[in-house]
Amino acid sequence: MTIAAASTKGFARWSALCLGLTLAACASGPPTPEWQMNAHAASQKAQDAYLAGDTRVEQQEWDRAREALARTGRLDLLARLELLRCAGRVASLVFEPCAGFEALRQDAPAAEKAYADYLAGQLALQDMALLPTAQRNAAQAAQTDAVAPLSGIEDPLSRLVAAGVLLKTGRAIPATVSMAVETASAQGWRRPLLAWLGVQAQRALAAGDTEAAASLQRRIAIVERGGKPD
């Protein structure tokens, strides 16, 4: 959401998601506070663990990130952290309420509220300009039934988030699903890959393409088994 402070540089992954928490050190200046480093490291580990399907590590690291941010008393930073967490779920097609953010909504800036609404598939047209560029382009394309420019979104997780929103709002075409599968596969992200392969398999069955559906189910089985033989 381009909401990092002007005096700091956001870490690439956070800025790519447009949920920067001003957690990176400046190129020059005073030492980075410990809470910033701890929050960034824990949140990245948590997101990586979630995408890999490791629920235990994910929960531990989100707790650590929240604890680090709570030391600042900054409700806006906690709200952004919750959005980051929910974005990973949308990328993995887990369309549940972003309860952590909603508990903080009244103290969140407008851009964060717009992003939360976007993740929920309930973005108001007048708030579209508050979205990060990549997500705004996808949202605008969806309004005209055009193919969302997912290929133009360089960050893999941001691309999956946009694809997830398109699926949630009924705008995902076969190319959207295929690109999401390719993206998750290329990153080795087990959780979203299984989710998107499942969508492909369901659509293949609905289209009467039993051969493709069977092939996709074999691929799903390999991912679920972690490469182990039956």
Side-chain angles (χ1 to χ4, degrees):
M1 299 163 196
T2 317
I3 49 180
S7 61
T8 57
K9 294 181 178 179
F11 281 85
R13 184 158 185 183
W14 290 67
S15 60
L17 282 170
C18 299
L19 293 171
L21 300 184
T22 66
L23 301 182
C26 295
S28 61
T32 304
E34 182 182 8
W35 69 265
Q36 289 189 359
M37 295 186 291
N38 291 345
H40 172 263
S43 60
Q44 183 165 331
K45 288 178 182 177
Q47 193 72 286
D48 289 343
Y50 179 77
L51 296 172
D54 191 336
T55 303
R56 181 183 62 83
V57 172
E58 178 221 356
Q59 187 59 58
Q60 289 176 345
E61 296 300 333
W62 282 131
D63 288 344
R64 288 192 179 101
R66 290 190 187 94
E67 181 180 0
L69 293 182
R71 289 163 56 185
T72 71
R74 293 278 301 277
L75 297 178
D76 58 331
L77 295 186
L78 284 167
R80 294 170 199 174
L81 181 69
E82 295 299 338
L83 284 180
L84 179 64
R85 180 175 180 271
C86 291
R89 279 153 172 72
V90 171
S92 303
L93 307 185
V94 178
F95 299 137
E96 61 188 16
C98 192
F101 173 80
E102 291 305 322
L104 301 165
R105 176 182 279 270
Q106 68 184 52
D107 295 302
E112 278 79 354
K113 292 176 182 177
Y115 196 87
D117 292 341
Y118 170 71
L119 293 179
Q122 301 173 350
L123 179 69
L125 289 178
Q126 64 268 24
D127 293 333
M128 194 175 295
L130 297 174
L131 293 177
T133 301
Q135 307 299 341
R136 183 170 65 248
N137 288 343
Q140 289 173 339
Q143 291 299 319
T144 58
D145 289 327
V147 178
L150 297 184
S151 59
I153 302 178
E154 295 184 4
D155 177 71
L157 188 52
S158 293
R159 191 183 308 143
L160 286 179
V161 170
V165 172
L166 288 172
L167 185 69
K168 181 178 179 64
T169 56
R171 304 280 189 172
I173 62 174
T176 306
V177 180
S178 294
M179 185 169 292
V181 168
E182 292 170 6
T183 299
S185 176
Q187 297 300 314
W189 288 337
R190 181 176 181 270
R191 192 186 297 270
L193 178 58
L194 286 171
W196 285 101
L197 283 173
V199 172
Q200 269 193 329
Q202 291 172 2
R203 291 191 172 191
L205 281 175
D209 192 343
T210 56
E211 183 176 346
S215 177
L216 287 164
Q217 287 297 336
R218 289 192 293 272
R219 189 175 178 186
I220 288 170
I222 289 175
V223 178
E224 288 179 334
R225 295 197 305 267
K228 298 178 182 178
D230 290 334

